[in-house]
Amino acid sequence: MDAASIATQFIKFYYDTFDTNRAALAALYRPTSTLTFEGNQFNGAADIDEKIKSLPFERIKHQVGTQDFQVGPNGSLLVVVTGQIWFDEQPAPQLFSQTFTLIAENQTFYVQNDVFRLCYGV
Amino acid sequence: MDAASIATQFIKFYYDTFDTNRAALAALYRPTSTLTFEGNQFNGAADIDEKIKSLPFERIKHQVGTQDFQVGPNGSLLVVVTGQIWFDEQPAPQLFSQTFTLIAENQTFYVQNDVFRLCYGV
């Protein structure tokens, strides 16, 4: 499968899963994975899973605006997404940026790096 | 030098140079480097340099809002920046997101991956 297909399928799976059953995202991470969420760092699948599950909203919807990918260091896949998020009942979305590196493992990929930021004016 | 210092120094150097003498950014890239700029991909230092120099504005100012970094695949350094840009005489800034991977080389680092996006509502 080519890099564009992998990136596109990953992005669809990640945000669909985040918006409907985010506990299932844990399977994407490994003990070596790192998440930086709004400047706070979480190391390893267990801590990342706990952080994602504990985020303080009931409902969330991501809408992907742009998706870019490149072959990254050592054959990894670098994926960069920008878009909008709706939280709970808030009428206006917020802009976000999220960067992943994906590493091949057997016939699939796991997330080595994950950096999430809401985009605000300074 | 620790990863935080490398990331912080790189970010300062990159945007200071971009805003004052962007032709000098060419030294940061190698023949294997890739830039994706607003969805268009440029491969290798020569093409990246040409793209950066040909961007259609006279004056630009970046203001970094957030900067995150992680150790990336194979000992690379993953750097993610969000912030604002002012173009020429435009009074209102635009939000941007930029992701880099840096690779160690002798006593310094070069840019292997560079993904730039303006952040808009969808």
Side-chain angles (χ1 to χ4, degrees):
Chain A
M1 197 158 59
D2 64 297
S5 300
I6 294 165
T8 301
Q9 289 188 18
F10 169 77
I11 290 166
K12 178 168 172 42
F13 176 80
Y14 180 88
Y15 292 109
D16 284 353
T17 305
F18 204 117
D19 292 352
T20 55
N21 177 27
R22 64 184 191 267
L25 292 174
L28 294 174
Y29 300 90
R30 296 291 175 274
T32 58
S33 302
T34 304
L35 164 67
T36 305
F37 186 89
E38 287 288 276
N40 299 304
Q41 191 164 310
F42 303 88
N43 296 302
D47 283 0
I48 293 169
D49 177 45
E50 190 174 312
K51 174 62 182 175
I52 292 174
K53 286 194 296 195
S54 71
L55 289 169
F57 43 73
E58 293 293 322
R59 282 184 290 175
I60 186 167
K61 174 164 174 46
H62 294 78
Q63 185 170 334
V64 172
T66 66
Q67 49 188 61
D68 294 309
F69 67 90
Q70 292 181 7
V71 176
N74 206 32
S76 60
L77 186 61
L78 177 69
V79 177
V80 180
V81 176
T82 72
Q84 297 181 115
I85 307 181
W86 285 258
F87 293 104
D88 289 327
E89 305 301 332
Q90 295 179 14
Q94 291 184 258
L95 298 176
F96 76 94
S97 157
Q98 192 160 13
T99 295
F100 304 91
T101 67
L102 307 182
I103 307 275
E105 183 188 67
N106 302 322
Q107 301 304 309
T108 183
F109 281 76
Y110 67 89
V111 176
Q112 176 65 32
N113 300 97
D114 181 351
V115 179
F116 175 90
R117 279 283 183 182
L118 294 171
C119 299
Y120 297 107
V122 179
Chain B
M1 197 157 59
D2 65 294
S5 301
I6 294 165
T8 302
Q9 290 188 17
F10 169 77
I11 290 166
K12 179 169 172 40
F13 176 80
Y14 180 88
Y15 293 109
D16 285 353
T17 304
F18 204 117
D19 292 352
T20 57
N21 178 26
R22 63 184 191 268
L25 292 174
L28 294 173
Y29 299 89
R30 295 292 174 274
T32 59
S33 303
T34 304
L35 164 67
T36 305
F37 185 89
E38 289 287 276
N40 298 306
Q41 190 163 311
F42 303 87
N43 296 303
D47 283 359
I48 293 169
D49 177 44
E50 189 174 313
K51 173 62 182 175
I52 291 174
K53 286 195 295 197
S54 71
L55 289 168
F57 43 75
E58 293 293 321
R59 282 183 289 175
I60 187 167
K61 177 166 170 44
H62 293 78
Q63 185 169 334
V64 171
T66 66
Q67 49 188 61
D68 296 309
F69 66 90
Q70 293 181 8
V71 176
N74 207 33
S76 60
L77 186 61
L78 177 69
V79 177
V80 180
V81 176
T82 71
Q84 297 180 116
I85 306 182
W86 284 260
F87 293 103
D88 288 326
E89 306 301 332
Q90 294 179 14
Q94 290 184 259
L95 298 176
F96 76 94
S97 157
Q98 194 161 11
T99 296
F100 304 92
T101 67
L102 307 182
I103 307 275
E105 182 189 67
N106 302 322
Q107 301 303 307
T108 184
F109 282 77
Y110 68 88
V111 176
Q112 176 64 32
N113 301 96
D114 180 350
V115 179
F116 175 90
R117 277 285 183 182
L118 294 171
C119 300
Y120 296 106
V122 178

